[in-house]
Amino acid sequence: MSRLVVVSNRVAPIKEGKVAAGGLAVGVYDALRESGGIWFGWNGETSSNPMLVCETQGNITYATIGLTKRDYDNYYRGFSNATLWPTFHYRVDLSRYLRKEYEGYRRVNAMLAEQLKPLLQPDDIIWVHDYHLIPFADELRQLGVRNRIGFFLHIPFPAPETLTSIPPHNELFRTLCAYDLLGFQTEVDRQAFEDYITREVRGVVSKNNTMTAYGHTFKAAAYPIGIMPDEIQELAASYKGRRHISGRGREGEPRKTIISVDRLDYSKGLVERFEAYEQLLDNYPEHHREVEFVQIAPTSRSDVKTYQRIRQQLETQAGHINGRYADLDWMPVHYLNKSHDRKILMGLFRTASIGLVTPLRDGMNLVAKEYVASQDPQNPGVLVLSRFAGAARELTSALIVNPYDRMGMAEALDRALRMPLAERKDRWENMMRVLRKQNLATWRDDFVRDLRGSAQRAAAKGWAVHAL
Ligand code: GDG
């Protein structure tokens, strides 16, 4: 079997047998372990003289390199996270464009391609991840690399009108067409990409998701990322450690917990969610003292200004709700910026009556899937899920809400708090079936199979499948 080379913005070596890391890292790691190969990317650090470092564990080589401060500012903080991230999440209002940052983005992609090229073998297949690395295949091609290269976009692919607000969109998406296989989270994202290709560049779409644009023929399809639901079920059930101490309600019953876990990011809809929770307390006084809301939001990208602003806003909102409603023995909102061990999180999900997952836009949202997988089959909680999360395409038995509708969300929370056991079980079983069918292994295997398949087709046609 040919080797797999995974390229991602961040590389975090995983120690054998450790399950602490998030789902994606584990899925990619498993694929690498199966076929052997390289995991290549940024080591997460800045340095004045970055050098490639290779570390081999078993059949996987971790090849990582630092970034100069200038490259970090332009490529990572700048074009990736201040232009592409907001625009792809439909927040053109938060997006900025600076030509020097785009140049830095292109420069880093070119540098990374140059660093990877000497490590490649002729029949390696290369799997590139996410929006930081759109031009990566094009840079490799310019260096003469002819291996098969696939790309998976973890975030949404927006409608063409939104994309065209990025000034160099034409050049950027021309480079995207240098891949052999493009993977999106949902059919909606794939369709948006097709719309861009047909409307903006007059590309041609043929059968089996094959497209031709800018002189390249490639395949574009949806590969929804999943989790390993049975492993999470086991992890959540085995957690015996410290739990969230929720007091007792008016009748002496334990309070019901509503839980949300997100990176602190404006795309996750935290502000709107806090407003909806306040609306629940305003509209339904019968839930006072009977319910509490736990929001875990580890900070991310804290050196980007918009992220500092949202943090301040949430602190104000949490203080405001608690100021209005808290009592000596009841704290309606618990807002925690600390990150938690994965096992603790899954344990908390299991005890929470409601998983509240309401992003304004999200490629997939693994938290929604993890909440469902953590539930006690005999007494499952209710998932309240935004229609704008990719996960809503699969988890149709959740209570689906529009995060812009504060009143609608408060009604859904009230309904979830009252939902009878039989209905909760029914919805949960439907969702577990979906999670088991389309899990992390199927996501990985489907993508890698299609990428290998395209390599075999190329070889059969006598195309060069080797690094020149
Ligand atoms: C991107 C896309 C897409 C969170 N807090 C803690 C913690 N987490 C874990 C969760 C989950 C992961 O982080 C977050 O994944 P999401 O999918 O929810 O969101 P993004 O980070 O934005 O991921 C997204 C994903 O890529 C995969 O393709 O679904 O749409 O934006 O696994 O559990 N884990 C631990 N402590 C925490 O405090 N251990």
Side-chain angles (χ1 to χ4, degrees):
M1 190 192 286
S2 49
R3 288 194 317 175
L4 181 62
V5 176
V6 172
V7 183
S8 60
N9 172 56
R10 284 291 294 272
V11 177
I14 294 180
K15 297 268 178 295
E16 186 77 39
K18 261 208 146 190
V19 286
L24 167 64
V26 175
V28 167
Y29 171 73
D30 281 354
L32 274 169
R33 211 173 38 170
E34 230 170 75
S35 48
I38 302 173
W39 195 340
F40 173 82
W42 177 37
N43 64 10
E45 282 161 24
T46 54
S47 114
S48 53
N49 183 25
M51 306 276 277
L52 186 73
V53 174
C54 293
E55 187 197 334
T56 301
Q57 289 174 21
N59 58 355
I60 304 175
T61 298
Y62 297 94
T64 58
I65 188 164
L67 291 177
T68 63
K69 175 75 172 59
R70 173 169 163 255
D71 283 348
Y72 169 80
D73 284 342
N74 291 327
Y75 151 83
Y76 182 74
R77 282 179 65 202
F79 194 70
S80 293
N81 285 319
T83 307
L84 293 180
W85 176 273
T87 307
F88 277 50
H89 288 86
Y90 287 84
R91 293 301 301 269
V92 178
D93 58 319
L94 297 179
S95 176
R96 67 153 187 252
Y97 174 71
L98 292 175
R99 192 175 287 181
K100 72 166 188 198
E101 291 182 344
Y102 177 61
E103 284 163 5
Y105 177 83
R106 295 300 309 261
R107 184 173 63 243
V108 169
N109 270 271
M111 178 277 285
L112 292 173
E114 261 173 46
Q115 293 288 336
L116 178 64
K117 191 193 164 192
L119 308 181
L120 292 173
Q121 291 177 6
D123 61 352
D124 286 345
I125 62 161
I126 305 168
W127 186 4
V128 180
H129 290 262
D130 234 357
Y131 60 102
H132 316 83
L133 298 167
I134 290 172
F136 192 75
D138 187 58
E139 297 294 350
L140 281 178
R141 297 284 183 235
Q142 287 182 45
L143 297 173
V145 172
R146 293 286 169 268
N147 299 53
R148 306 306 280 180
I149 316 176
F151 177 83
F152 184 78
L153 183 69
H154 289 262
I155 63 176
F157 193 91
E161 272 310 292
T162 304
L163 273 189
T164 52
S165 66
I166 301 171
H169 67 93
N170 247 306
E171 181 180 290
L172 189 65
F173 295 109
R174 179 188 57 72
T175 66
L176 188 58
C177 297
Y179 285 95
D180 299 296
L181 176 63
L182 295 174
F184 299 93
Q185 295 275 25
T186 66
E187 187 48 35
V188 176
D189 301 303
R190 192 210 62 78
Q191 184 61 52
F193 173 70
E194 183 181 317
D195 291 348
Y196 180 88
I197 290 298
T198 48
R199 285 188 213 162
E200 282 296 320
V201 301
R202 307 222 174 282
V204 177
V205 178
S206 349
K207 274 192 224 144
N208 300 330
N209 291 331
T210 302
M211 300 181 191
T212 303
Y214 297 108
H216 294 282
T217 297
F218 52 91
K219 186 178 163 179
Y223 301 87
I225 192 168
I227 55 167
M228 296 309 265
D230 293 310
E231 285 172 20
I232 290 181
Q233 171 69 215
E234 215 173 289
L235 193 66
S238 70
Y239 178 63
K240 301 281 180 269
R242 202 157 58 96
R243 299 221 172 248
H244 166 61
I245 319 286
S246 67
R248 301 210 165 247
R250 286 187 295 257
E251 303 293 321
E253 289 291 303
R255 280 191 184 118
K256 290 188 171 170
T257 304
I258 301 172
I259 194 161
S260 298
V261 176
D262 315 77
R263 270 185 315 100
L264 190 57
D265 191 294
Y266 48 82
S267 66
K268 303 290 182 183
L270 285 98
V271 170
E272 292 74 6
R273 186 183 305 156
F274 277 43
E275 285 172 358
Y277 179 65
E278 187 175 5
Q279 192 75 57
L280 173 83
L281 299 181
D282 287 349
N283 292 7
Y284 305 94
E286 61 272 34
H287 294 310
H288 292 185
R289 314 182 74 83
E290 303 290 334
V291 67
E292 55 195 12
F293 172 39
V294 178
Q295 170 71 64
I296 296 176
T299 46
S300 71
R301 303 170 195 164
S302 49
D303 52 353
V304 179
K305 260 220 175 70
T306 27
Y307 288 76
Q308 294 160 2
R309 268 204 300 273
I310 185 176
R311 188 171 175 181
Q312 283 166 359
Q313 199 173 351
L314 289 169
E315 280 164 7
T316 307
Q317 273 182 298
H320 166 77
I321 301 173
N322 281 336
R324 274 187 75 196
Y325 285 109
D327 212 332
L328 288 175
D329 57 353
W330 177 45
M331 184 77 88
V333 179
H334 297 249
Y335 173 50
L336 291 83
N337 279 143
K338 220 169 65 169
S339 74
H340 290 69
D341 186 81
R342 188 166 171 79
K343 191 168 177 176
I344 299 181
L345 276 190
M346 303 306 131
L348 290 177
F349 284 160
R350 193 174 177 92
T351 45
S353 304
I354 299 177
L356 184 56
V357 185
T358 54
L360 304 179
R361 283 286 159 182
D362 218 326
M364 178 54 66
N365 197 300
L366 294 178
V367 170
K369 295 187 169 184
E370 290 163 352
Y371 174 78
V372 172
S374 300
Q375 295 308 297
D376 175 356
Q378 300 313 316
N379 185 24
V382 182
L383 176 66
V384 177
L385 179 61
S386 161
R387 56 168 295 149
F388 300 118
R393 304 275 144 190
E394 296 166 87
L395 301 179
T396 50
S397 291
L399 289 186
I400 304 291
V401 294
N402 182 334
Y404 296 100
D405 178 6
R406 183 194 306 188
M407 198 66 88
M409 280 213 278
E411 284 164 6
L413 285 172
D414 173 59
R415 183 173 167 200
L417 286 166
R418 298 172 193 279
M419 192 178 284
L421 179 62
E423 182 179 350
R424 281 190 274 130
K425 275 186 167 171
D426 199 37
R427 288 174 178 272
W428 179 78
E429 278 157 18
N430 288 340
M431 291 192 279
M432 270 311 260
R433 212 170 299 126
V434 174
L435 293 184
R436 287 193 173 113
K437 189 157 177 255
Q438 182 61 43
N439 61 31
L440 186 65
T442 40
W443 168 74
R444 176 198 73 200
D445 293 347
D446 289 352
F447 190 93
V448 172
R449 184 204 55 225
D450 285 359
L451 190 52
R452 285 192 198 284
S454 60
Q456 279 151 13
R457 277 197 300 281
K461 286 184 182 170
W463 297 344
V465 189
H466 53 82
L468 294 174

